[in-house]
Amino acid sequence: KQEVTQIPAALSVPEGENLVLNCSFTDSAIYNLQWFRQDPGKGLTSLLLIQSSQREQTSGRLNASLDKSSGRSTLYIAASQPGDSATYLCAVVSGNTPLVFGKGTRLSVIA
Amino acid sequence: GAGVSQSPSNKVTEKGKDVELRCDPISGHTALYWYRQSLGQGLEFLIYFQGNSAPDKSGLPSDRFSAERTGGSVSTLTIQRTQQEDSAVYLCASRLSRGAGYGYTFGSGTRLTVV
């Protein structure tokens, strides 16, 4: 059974800092990995999708990497801003099973 | 529409009543998923529809929960005889295809409170 772990559970950084969020998964036979953002009381916004054949994806200040063989992904946020404060969720698709989520990292960027 | 639409956005119901939650997926998306997010918990898979195939109901927590998808589009999640532990945010997602290049798009959710 696929399990997804995100470390740290919570993170507080000053504005402008670069930061890395970590995600690990137990079954490396994944189809893809997706990073989401969730603001309090809101739904999920997709940030980046990495297919199993890819090593990384970039969107603006965000860069996600995937090391499938070791079961790890990182989300790098450059020059963090207070508007980046949210919970970041990592999720993977394996075989025919639906998306399996980690419990998220709650990020606070302090002005 | 442009995104996944869920209604109502909030629902307060009395314990023991039945509730129906609605999801309108993105037009043309063949796969539709329901998840539940309880306070302080992660996202829990409930049920999944793919095209005309039989739904994957493996995540439904009890037989009080059921869902249908009509005409391969709109889906309704029904909870019968609601209990306080059913209070959660219910999220719906759709996906164009099951291929590796296709991601999930989520709606804003329905916040269900059972009093």
Side-chain angles (χ1 to χ4, degrees):
Chain A
K1 179 186 169 186
Q2 179 73 270
E3 293 182 0
V4 180
T5 303
Q6 291 187 245
I7 294 172
L11 180 64
S12 182
V13 300
E15 181 178 7
E17 198 161 288
N18 302 326
L19 59 101
V20 174
L21 307 181
N22 296 291
C23 171
S24 62
F25 44 94
T26 54
D27 182 355
S28 62
I30 65 169
Y31 279 0
N32 63 42
L33 182 146
Q34 205 166 349
W35 281 94
F36 294 89
R37 168 187 172 136
Q38 186 174 33
D39 292 284
K42 305 291 185 184
L44 277 64
T45 300
S46 180
L47 297 174
L48 290 163
L49 170 76
I50 310 179
Q51 297 182 53
S52 61
S53 59
Q54 297 173 327
R55 301 278 302 184
E56 66 177 342
Q57 285 287 332
T58 298
S59 176
R61 294 183 293 107
L62 305 179
N63 175 278
S65 67
L66 174 64
D67 184 343
K68 189 177 141 183
S69 61
S70 68
R72 295 179 188 277
S73 175
T74 60
L75 179 66
Y76 175 83
I77 303 178
S80 58
Q81 303 171 358
D84 296 330
S85 298
T87 296
Y88 290 80
L89 294 156
C90 167
V92 299
V93 173
S94 312
N96 288 325
T97 60
L99 211 53
V100 176
F101 284 86
K103 293 191 182 301
T105 294
R106 190 172 65 255
L107 173 66
S108 297
V109 181
I110 312 301
Chain B
V4 177
S5 178
Q6 292 188 245
S7 61
S9 54
N10 282 284
K11 176 72 176 178
V12 180
T13 190
E14 293 181 353
K15 179 181 170 181
K17 300 274 191 178
D18 297 353
V19 294
E20 286 189 350
L21 312 180
R22 177 187 168 105
C23 173
D24 278 278
I26 293 173
S27 178
H29 279 200
T30 62
L32 186 148
Y33 307 81
W34 284 98
Y35 283 80
R36 176 169 74 173
Q37 188 174 35
S38 303
L39 189 63
Q41 300 297 312
L43 278 98
E44 173 190 10
F45 163 71
L46 297 177
I47 188 169
Y48 144 53
F49 298 88
Q50 172 63 54
N52 295 321
S53 302
D56 176 352
K57 305 179 182 180
S58 60
L60 294 178
S62 79
D63 59 9
R64 295 185 296 103
F65 288 72
S66 63
E68 63 177 19
R69 188 178 185 192
T70 54
S73 181
V74 172
S75 177
T76 302
L77 177 68
T78 300
I79 309 173
Q80 296 178 309
R81 304 181 303 280
T82 51
Q83 304 294 312
Q84 287 187 327
E85 61 262 28
D86 300 334
S87 296
V89 176
Y90 289 82
L91 291 160
C92 175
S94 70
R95 193 178 182 205
L96 181 60
S97 169
R98 282 193 301 181
Y102 300 100
Y104 287 53
T105 301
F106 279 82
S108 298
T110 293
R111 180 176 299 278
L112 175 66
T113 304
V114 182
V115 297

